[in-house]
Amino acid sequence: MITNLKNRDFISVMDFSKEELETIFDVAFDLKRRNAIGESHSHLLKGKSLGMLFASPSTRTRISFETGITQLGGHGQYYTPEQLQLKNKESWRDTAEMVNRFLNGFAIRLYNLKTQMGAETYEYGDAREVLRAIAKDADIPVINMLDDKEHPCQIMADIMTMMEKFGREDYKKKKIVMSWAYDERAKSAGVPQTMIAAGMTLGMNIVLAYPKEPGVYDVDPEYVKVAQDAAKVSGGALTIEHDIWKAAKDADVIYAKSWARNPDQHAASGPKYAKDWCISHEHFKVANTQAKYMHCLPAKRGKEVTDELIDDPNISIVNDEAENRIHVQKAIMALTMRG
Ligand code: CP
């Protein structure tokens, strides 16, 4: 167990070794256990402040971070770019200097500088560059609450949930299908990208499933390369499948959400996959008997998943998955923001 993650940024799962990720899970399980028996742990970050900058709406991330820092004895501050001088074009560098002087940790949700920050241009990776620049300019830990490449806190909660359902080691033997699902909106591929990077570091067995439309639904090749290289070390396995029915066969988890790297092509080609890739009980007929359905939420009911499936208490574990956001994020905060 690696115990010293003090002052580390949590921007990408690729910055963390297998042992470091497992340390975060260990602490998350411990904090969840303590919470379950009402054992206070408010001394851990007593008097510390976490700034939370959200450039887009959030239910789970905001509530879990804000409640989490409170349970650790600290205080969470919520702001949008419009509420800070970022609205008046104060630079990220000057903003970083201020958060460094006032805060003990800074969490950011930012993924499109054009639509969210009024920038003249935006290219994939620009939001990640902002997070990296703030982390360089500020000494306090910077936590990624969703950027244009990854959703690392989400994936940590997802994997923690798989550990709970299948066993702390046995989850690695299970067939985890990380699947595309249809929605009109072209969302980021951050969830699948983070899942394959973290999953292969940990030694999981993941099938990445999406329709074959080159340049539209395939994920960032950097993540595929990192995942494949990590799999060689960890013993994990990453398979890419373009037929959802083949992917679903013998699956232990079907985790399906929409994403698209090219919004225009997605608008043209997405609808033809809508029926087959809307996850339903039909997909679970070919999956393993105890298979589970996962989604990071919010889910587009009737598009990404049927109402009947997401509400099926025997199959859907989406709310357990959401709850684990708080436990894993408390672990990240406690480890990185400690005195
Ligand atoms: N999964 C997730 O990040 O949810 P929110 O957008 O509600 O925070």
Side-chain angles (χ1 to χ4, degrees):
M1 183 178 185
I2 303 273
T3 53
N4 189 5
L5 296 180
K6 185 177 167 181
N7 271 342
R8 287 277 296 275
D9 301 308
F10 193 75
I11 293 177
S12 168
V13 290
M14 297 191 290
D15 300 335
F16 289 79
S17 67
K18 177 173 183 280
E19 200 173 350
E20 288 170 339
L21 293 177
E22 285 173 348
T23 293
I24 295 171
F25 291 124
D26 274 343
V27 175
F29 279 112
D30 181 48
L31 293 176
K32 185 169 184 175
R33 182 193 61 80
R34 291 203 220 182
N35 206 54
I37 58 172
E39 185 181 301
S40 173
H41 40 284
S42 61
H43 61 289
L44 292 175
L45 292 181
K46 189 168 172 14
K48 295 195 184 268
S49 293
L50 175 77
M52 301 182 297
L53 175 63
F54 280 94
S56 66
S58 166
T59 297
R60 282 142 288 272
T61 308
R62 177 182 178 179
I63 297 172
S64 55
F65 263 108
E66 205 161 322
T67 308
I69 186 74
T70 303
Q71 291 179 2
L72 292 168
H75 173 243
Q77 303 173 8
Y78 169 87
Y79 7 77
T80 65
E82 291 75 25
Q83 292 166 334
L84 301 181
Q85 293 292 7
L86 286 164
K87 181 180 169 58
N88 295 323
K89 307 288 178 207
E90 184 168 26
S91 70
W92 286 109
R93 191 186 176 104
D94 290 347
T95 305
E97 181 63 30
M98 289 303 102
V99 301
N100 202 37
R101 299 277 175 131
F102 297 130
L103 299 172
N104 305 101
F106 191 44
I108 308 172
R109 170 170 284 195
L110 175 70
Y111 50 80
N112 187 318
L113 304 187
K114 200 168 170 180
T115 58
Q116 297 177 322
M117 301 297 302
E120 285 178 14
T121 59
Y122 163 73
E123 281 184 26
Y124 170 74
D126 287 354
R128 169 61 58 87
E129 289 303 312
V130 170
L131 265 68
R132 291 285 187 208
I134 294 172
K136 188 163 164 285
D137 290 336
D139 300 327
I140 58 173
V142 169
I143 300 174
N144 181 351
M145 298 193 294
L146 175 62
D147 70 1
D148 51 359
K149 292 192 162 187
E150 290 182 43
H151 199 351
C153 295
Q154 176 68 53
I155 295 306
M156 292 299 284
D158 298 338
I159 295 174
M160 181 178 178
T161 311
M162 294 176 205
M163 289 174 169
E164 287 176 335
K165 302 300 174 191
F166 301 115
R168 285 289 293 270
E169 281 301 315
D170 284 354
Y171 80 101
K172 293 180 193 167
K173 299 181 202 141
K174 300 296 176 183
K175 178 179 175 182
I176 310 299
V177 178
M178 177 76 250
S179 174
W180 182 86
Y182 177 68
D183 183 26
E184 296 99 335
R185 207 174 126 213
K187 295 181 205 152
S188 136
V191 163
Q193 288 175 179
T194 322
M195 180 61 85
I196 61 172
M200 291 309 106
T201 300
L202 293 163
M204 291 169 60
N205 172 17
I206 296 179
V207 175
L208 181 63
Y210 53 87
K212 194 167 190 171
E213 293 281 344
V216 188
Y217 305 122
D218 39 1
V219 303
D220 181 343
E222 181 199 351
Y223 280 83
V224 177
K225 170 83 171 61
V226 163
Q228 286 169 336
D229 289 348
K232 287 179 199 149
V233 178
S234 67
L238 175 66
T239 313
I240 294 181
E241 175 58 70
H242 299 300
D243 180 329
I244 183 58
W245 298 103
K246 281 190 193 157
K249 188 163 175 1
D250 301 326
D252 294 295
V253 167
I254 303 177
Y255 183 161
K257 78 168 296 291
S258 63
W259 72 78
R261 294 180 70 209
N262 185 317
D264 293 335
Q265 288 181 37
H266 170 58
S269 58
K272 67 176 181 261
Y273 302 108
K275 187 166 178 288
D276 277 339
W277 296 74
C278 174
I279 306 302
S280 70
H281 280 100
E282 292 304 305
H283 297 88
F284 280 83
K285 282 183 186 161
V286 297
N288 275 338
T289 6
Q290 297 301 315
K292 303 296 178 198
Y293 168 77
M294 296 180 72
H295 192 292
C296 50
L297 303 179
K300 191 63 88 66
R301 288 166 176 258
K303 294 272 170 67
E304 293 180 295
V305 57
T306 60
D307 276 328
E308 295 75 20
L309 182 66
I310 198 168
D311 293 332
D312 184 338
N314 296 316
I315 298 179
S316 176
I317 55 171
V318 296
N319 294 321
D320 293 342
E321 185 184 355
E323 185 198 313
N324 281 334
R325 293 290 302 276
I326 191 168
H327 306 300
V328 89
Q329 290 159 195
K330 281 170 68 182
I332 292 164
M333 288 188 282
L335 285 159
T336 62
M337 290 171 61
R338 74 181 174 85

